[in-house]
Amino acid sequence: MTTKLFRGARIYTPVMGNSTCARAGAEQGKIAFYQDGAILAENGRIKSVGSYEDVSKNLNAASIDMEIDLGGAAVVPGFVDPHTHACFAALREGEFSMRLAGKPYLEILKAGGGILSSVRKVRTAAEDELYAFSKNVLSPTLYYGTTTIEIKSGYGLDTETEMKMLRVIARLSRETHQSVVPTFMGAHAVPEEYKSKPDDYVALLCEECLPAVAGQGAAKFCDIFCEDGVFDVKQSRKILLRAKELGFRLKIHADEVNDLGGAALAGELGATSAEHLLAASDAGIDDMAASGVVANLLPATAYSLKKPFARARKMIERGVPVALATDLNPGSCFCQSMPFVISLAIMGMNLTFEEALTGATLNAAWSIGMEKDVGSLESGKLADFVALDGETPAVLAYASGARPIRSVWKRGERVA
Ligand SMILES: [Zn+2]
């Protein structure tokens, strides 16, 4: 057993305690602070956390294997990125230029670009090649403080390739320092070969893909892109109900471009989270609040698409727990930095730094079912934390676009 005592930390953390849901409303802005803080970790898990005086009380110096002074840095939980598409085989910079020239995303999709060009690359890539490319995409996220990350499949769009992606995601989980949560997103787009018969693809997902993924236990969540020109509400409901029956927890890319009623569907089906929500209606927001659905907001995507941000303040006021994510993907948003996302949330969506911190840690953990292990610095959880290059987490927005991070720790080990 290895016991480590971290001291010299100005600790800022949301607190979960015995609560049974993500932090909503005024709770989202409540953060515990220990000025002269310490963390005692045993075999990578937090044994106790608090003021140095409290943590070191009754401690036998001989039982500490290592004492680490964090030098008065602000210390926050390791960031949890609850929404990424970080498994792919090629970048799409050319398409980015097309977007900058004014071509709308749904038009690029119709012309066989967008998601479908990533699908062609992932289908033809060898499994090792897909792994190597994805690993390179992933590694900067750890450098930016992300110690837990969700990764979706959805560039295969057939059973074989979706399973290949999920094997690569499982390998990333085993062979990198991050905790990785896998999500099946076969309903990311309608593949080219089903263009004229989308309902047949819905049937394939329900009858073949979902049972195959469930049979292998290859994903914890099932996600879907519910949007005009992709999957309508009726198709989304059918796929998600089948997924629920097979034991998946649910997520929905909802109301990103148009208000189709995806937020309301998330509420109706008891989804764990709804994603994007740029166009979510007041009624949809209220449905989410009533069902405890976490809003996974992706401000770097709005930024990259030059769109107005989601109405985060409205969601917090109406009692929807808000989480923050990068949406790291090759198309709409190639963002690897949670500090940048936090900065956008504070400067663009008017969250306080306390609300943004909860969004990037504890609420994000709830939205991927990891709240028992990560998302806050509390006894029993993993010793995952980030020592910031500043005295408060406000430095994440103050030093916008930079990396105000001194060190990143996963299970009590320095990893960046
Ligand atoms: Zn997404």
Side-chain angles (χ1 to χ4, degrees), residues 23 76 81 106 130 148 155 163 175 245 361 372 387 401:
R23 310 281 78 193
V76 298
D81 188 349
L106 290 180
L130 181 62
T148 298
Y155 295 125
M163 292 305 294
E175 297 181 12
E245 188 180 273
T361 57
K372 291 201 173 85

Side-chain angles (χ1 to χ4, degrees), residues 46 78-79 103-104 117 122 133 155-156 160 176 189-190 213 222 229 232 247 276 280 304 331 363 404 407 409:
I46 299 172
F79 302 129
K103 216 173 199 150
S117 69
V122 168
F133 197 93
Y155 295 125
E160 192 190 329
T176 67
V190 176
V213 176
C222 175
D232 63 23
H276 289 286
S304 177
N363 279 0
S407 55
W409 302 76

Side-chain angles (χ1 to χ4, degrees), residues 205-261:
L205 287 172
C206 292
E207 286 154 29
E208 189 186 295
C209 299
L210 276 165
V213 176
Q216 301 266 320
K220 184 169 175 178
F221 286 90
C222 175
D223 197 346
I224 186 165
F225 194 3
C226 178
E227 187 56 69
D228 274 340
V230 195
F231 296 96
D232 63 23
V233 169
K234 194 173 156 221
Q235 292 165 326
S236 300
R237 185 183 285 110
K238 186 173 176 191
I239 293 165
L240 291 171
L241 281 173
R242 176 70 174 133
K244 199 171 178 177
E245 188 180 273
L246 289 164
F248 291 92
R249 292 176 66 178
L250 309 181
K251 294 178 172 292
I252 309 181
H253 281 55
D255 305 338
E256 178 181 356
V257 186
N258 300 297
D259 175 24
L260 228 63

Side-chain angles (χ1 to χ4, degrees), residues 83 85 253 276 327:
H83 180 140
H85 306 261
H253 281 55
H276 289 286
D327 196 21

Side-chain angles (χ1 to χ4, degrees), residues 394-415:
V395 74
L396 292 163
Y398 178 64
S400 207
R403 177 185 177 263
I405 290 175
R406 284 188 199 166
S407 55
V408 181
W409 302 76
K410 177 74 186 171
R411 296 175 187 266
E413 300 285 338
R414 185 165 181 178
V415 289

